Amino acid sequence: MNKKAVIVAGGTTGNLNEHQSLLKNADVIIGVDGGAVALLEAGVRVDVAIGDFDSISAENLQLLKDKAEKVIELPAEKDLTDTEAALEYAAQQLEVDTIFMLGLFGGRVDHMMSNLWVAYHPDFQGIIEKVVMIDEANTLSFYRPGSYHVHKEEDKKYLSFISMTAVEDLRLSGVKYSLDGKDFDHPIALVSNEFLDKEMNFSFAAGLIAMVQSKDIIKKRS
């Protein structure tokens, strides 16, 4: 059985209603700072609320203490960000197969980059392949060397491979722009590829890759 944890960070969470199925089927839901409040406002349970809670009101903090199963208050001055602390909690306290993370993108650029940089954090090397980062337009997963079979998400058009390190022998098949054993001696973003059908395969021999399935967001005119 694939046990799932969902971490909802304090950044732009988008419409949590779009993730109702994921949240409903999660074994553990962790709200980070304002993300915990967003969960309660959306009518979603909060198993663990974690953060320094400097971005929410005293009233909302009390609401979390009343409604959440567990509240972990962190000091404002600390080595980890609130989101990293939530991931650390999931890694150390939970036995789960997948850790979905929502609300990481769309806000401050420094926060967004620090969220992506968990891929390099030594404390998370044992779980980084369990992490899936999601927002309304993107699904990002991390991969270590190996061979993989990927299914197309129905609502996504694009497929990108972003090497977080140098990469050896990258092979892509079943896509518009295939590769047959390409080496890259520096991190590179291979973006806006597309599935030829509903499935594709990729493999590589060394490095770390972030794979992103994405779509364009059409903004409605006011």
Side-chain angles (χ1 to χ4, degrees), residues 12 17 20-21 34 38 50 105 167 178 214:
T12 303
N17 290 328
Q20 281 296 325
S21 177
I50 187 168
F105 311 129
V167 168
S178 62
S214 60

Side-chain angles (χ1 to χ4, degrees), residues 15-52:
N15 185 357
L16 285 176
N17 290 328
E18 295 179 358
H19 306 294
Q20 281 296 325
S21 177
L22 176 62
L23 292 164
K24 181 179 179 180
N25 292 299
D27 295 280
V28 181
I29 299 175
I30 302 172
V32 182
D33 207 87
V37 177
L39 284 165
L40 291 182
E41 291 175 343
V44 180
R45 79 177 195 273
V46 178
D47 297 310
V48 180
I50 187 168
D52 56 28

Side-chain angles (χ1 to χ4, degrees), residues 3-8 27-32 48-50 70 72 80-101 123-124 126-128 130-132:
K3 296 191 68 174
K4 307 177 185 68
V6 178
I7 296 174
V8 177
D27 295 280
V28 181
I29 299 175
I30 302 172
V32 182
V48 180
I50 187 168
K70 183 176 186 178
I72 301 173
L80 296 177
T81 67
D82 290 345
T83 302
E84 289 171 344
L87 187 56
E88 181 181 66
Y89 178 89
Q92 295 180 355
Q93 304 297 324
L94 306 178
E95 294 184 3
V96 294
D97 302 294
T98 309
I99 303 171
F100 293 95
M101 303 184 73
D123 291 347
F124 303 134
I127 64 162
I128 196 61
K130 295 182 178 182
V131 173
V132 181

Side-chain angles (χ1 to χ4, degrees), residues 157-159 174-177 192-196:
K157 178 179 180 180
Y158 303 109
L159 180 67
V175 290
K176 186 174 181 180
Y177 307 108
S192 298
N193 211 330
E194 298 180 32
F195 285 81
L196 292 179

Side-chain angles (χ1 to χ4, degrees), residues 82-169:
D82 290 345
T83 302
E84 289 171 344
L87 187 56
E88 181 181 66
Y89 178 89
Q92 295 180 355
Q93 304 297 324
L94 306 178
E95 294 184 3
V96 294
D97 302 294
T98 309
I99 303 171
F100 293 95
M101 303 184 73
L102 311 180
L104 303 184
F105 311 129
R108 285 172 49 179
V109 171
D110 56 340
H111 284 174
M112 179 188 71
M113 292 189 68
S114 72
N115 291 329
L116 290 172
W117 254 237
V118 300
Y120 302 118
H121 199 295
D123 291 347
F124 303 134
Q125 294 309 299
I127 64 162
I128 196 61
E129 290 177 280
K130 295 182 178 182
V131 173
V132 181
M133 300 179 175
I134 300 175
D135 70 4
E136 61 180 334
N138 308 279
T139 301
L140 183 152
S141 302
F142 296 102
Y143 291 86
R144 295 194 182 281
S147 298
Y148 302 96
H149 187 70
V150 179
H151 293 270
K152 183 181 184 299
E153 295 183 24
E154 290 187 4
D155 65 331
K156 304 297 195 303
K157 178 179 180 180
Y158 303 109
L159 180 67
S160 299
F161 292 87
I162 301 170
S163 66
M164 310 290 287
T165 63
V167 168
E168 295 180 9
D169 197 27

